[in-house]
DNA sequence: GTCTATACGGCGATAGAC
DNA sequence: GTCTATCGCCGTATAGAC
């Protein structure tokens, strides 16, 4: 059965934007379980029926939020990579930390675990961002791991984006032991395969806090 | 307000065990969102009121499941560490993979993100397991990272337990790019700081598949 | 195109009868 | 120790007003 033929509000609607803003706020402060039609409506100052008019299902709300946030992220990453072309690894590391700490990403990954539509979107987004990173690294084939820790570009990018998410997930559960050590160690590793030209000039090289 | 003064069924009840078995089954096959009083009751062949008699809140169900599963895990880890005292890192790496792939751990971490009681339990469990690992490594202070990737015991243990979870989380969303590379690379790293005496004798050294 | 009122079944949780 | 009744949320579908 096609998911109903109900009418849906236009994507250009201003009300739609207000609703999405509210959704983002709720996700960050209270988590996705509190994103309900009634709660969103109350905080946005509209009726829950109106929220349903623009977003027929809860999944459609989350998908819209993911897409909006992702476009911003992709743009920021591409710009940063272009602005500092001589230290892509450091740029990616900083980006991954900012992304992971944005909180929404963790929420979405958790959501994706049991909502197929959202899982698919997350996979697509991740692939797109990873491709941007791989394209940049392809231009400098010299970048790889060390003898004791051999890594091709793909593995490198996976770790760079995964470690912040992993530490952030642990932090969400209240676990922070040895996080500082892991961060420092991985930054040493990055520095060893991509000496940062900006270290010393800027306030610090690879930045990131657990 | 104290979470109600309702009566609770005895922990030795056989019915209670049957219910918990059912809960584990549902979590593994359908995920925690499908653990509801009505579903558990139906699959266990009892009334939902009876489930509520033994587990007054859903959190109490999840906590009981976590504790049961954790006791088994701790025992398995301690035994494996004792059985192969000359390669603790390889033992921990294998344990972490088994744990991560057990699926329930991912479910619990996701749950803990928004249920404080469960987050606290997860933190406690993680700390306990990590302590077991740190105690073993403390007896062989020679174990540390390399020059390019310096790691103390704490950082090492964090990565060993975190990487499988991180890759497994991505896999849940349908992302598997470069996972093989990351695994192979990290195993090379482990081998470089703890040459495995069993490599060649046993079917393979550090085992783990994404 | 925008918005509202209303109804349905399922949910976690509680109080209390047998 | 077992089970029923009930409450107030939830997602979502529908029908219809402006």
């Amino acid at each position: 059965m096609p998911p109903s033929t109900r009418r849906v509000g236009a994507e250009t609607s201003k009300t739609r934007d207000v609703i999405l803003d509210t959704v983002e706020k709720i996700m960050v402060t209270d988590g996705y379980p509190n994103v309900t039609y009634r709660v969103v409506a109350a905080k946005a100052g509209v009726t829950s029926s109106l929220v349903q008019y623009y977003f027929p299902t809860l999944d459609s709300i989350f998908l819209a939020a993911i897409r909006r946030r992702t476009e911003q992220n992709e743009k920021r990453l591409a710009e940063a990579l272009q602005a500092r072309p001589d230290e892509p690894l450091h740029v990616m590391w900083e980006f991954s930390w900012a992304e992971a700490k944005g909180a929404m990403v963790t929420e979405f990954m958790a959501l994706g675990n049991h909502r197929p539509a959202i899982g698919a979107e997350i996979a697509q987004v991740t692939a797109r961002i990873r491709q941007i990173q791989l394209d940049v690294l392809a231009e400098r084939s010299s970048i790889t791991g060390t003898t004791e820790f051999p890594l091709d570009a793909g593995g490198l990018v996976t770790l760079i984006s995964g470690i912040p998410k992993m530490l952030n997930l642990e932090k969400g559960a209240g676990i922070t032991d040895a996080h500082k050590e892991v961060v420092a160690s991985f930054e040493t590793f990055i520095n060893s395969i991509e000496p940062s030209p900006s270290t010393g000039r800027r306030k610090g090289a690879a930045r990131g806090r657990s």
Side-chain angles (χ1 to χ4, degrees), chain A:
Chain A
M1 45 174 149
S4 142
T5 61
R6 241 180 317 164
R7 286 183 297 166
V8 175
E11 289 209 7
T12 54
S13 158
K14 176 159 182 174
T15 306
R16 206 188 106 113
D17 274 337
V18 171
I19 292 173
L20 270 188
D21 289 339
T22 308
V23 168
E24 277 215 14
K25 254 178 241 157
I26 298 175
M27 287 206 71
V28 169
T29 61
D30 306 319
Y32 69 81
N34 290 289
V35 175
T36 72
Y37 283 115
R38 289 158 177 88
V39 168
V40 170
K43 300 214 182 197
V46 299
T47 65
S48 72
S49 302
L50 187 54
V51 179
Q52 281 185 82
Y53 167 61
Y54 286 103
F55 304 99
T57 66
L58 273 194
D59 271 10
S60 71
I61 291 191
F62 292 125
L63 286 179
I66 291 174
R67 292 197 178 115
R68 216 173 61 159
R69 173 58 59 110
T70 297
E71 279 170 25
Q72 296 166 2
N73 279 351
E74 280 183 85
K75 214 177 129 208
R76 276 199 309 116
L77 172 62
E79 284 173 358
L81 283 171
Q82 210 160 25
R84 290 154 60 196
D86 40 4
E87 42 175 5
L89 293 186
H90 288 81
V91 169
M92 293 175 196
W93 179 242
E94 290 169 30
F95 169 79
S96 297
W97 267 108
E99 192 193 22
K101 303 225 291 177
M104 297 239 312
V105 172
T106 313
E107 293 296 300
F108 287 142
M109 290 212 62
L111 253 177
N113 243 293
H114 290 296
R115 303 219 191 198
I118 291 170
E121 184 72 20
I122 293 286
Q124 217 180 82
V125 160
T126 306
R128 224 157 47 221
I129 287 191
R130 214 154 275 190
Q131 195 55 53
I132 293 176
Q133 298 173 325
L134 287 178
D135 287 347
V136 167
L137 292 190
E139 297 169 11
R140 31 183 72 211
S141 56
S142 67
I143 288 184
T144 121
T146 64
T147 315
E148 293 94 346
F149 207 124
L151 268 184
D152 59 6
L156 203 47
V157 163
T158 299
L159 275 185
I160 285 178
S161 81
I163 288 179
K165 276 183 203 136
M166 159 197 134
L167 295 182
N168 209 56
L169 195 67
E170 284 202 352
K171 192 183 158 209
I175 308 162
T176 58
D177 314 282
H179 282 197
K180 270 196 318 205
E181 286 80 358
V182 171
V183 169
S185 156
F186 195 73
E187 290 182 354
T188 301
F189 177 65
I190 290 182
N191 282 326
S192 79
I193 60 184
E194 179 190 87
S196 170
S198 63
T199 304
R201 281 215 317 277
R202 283 166 58 252
K203 265 204 295 289
R207 191 120 293 224
R209 183 154 281 96
S210 94

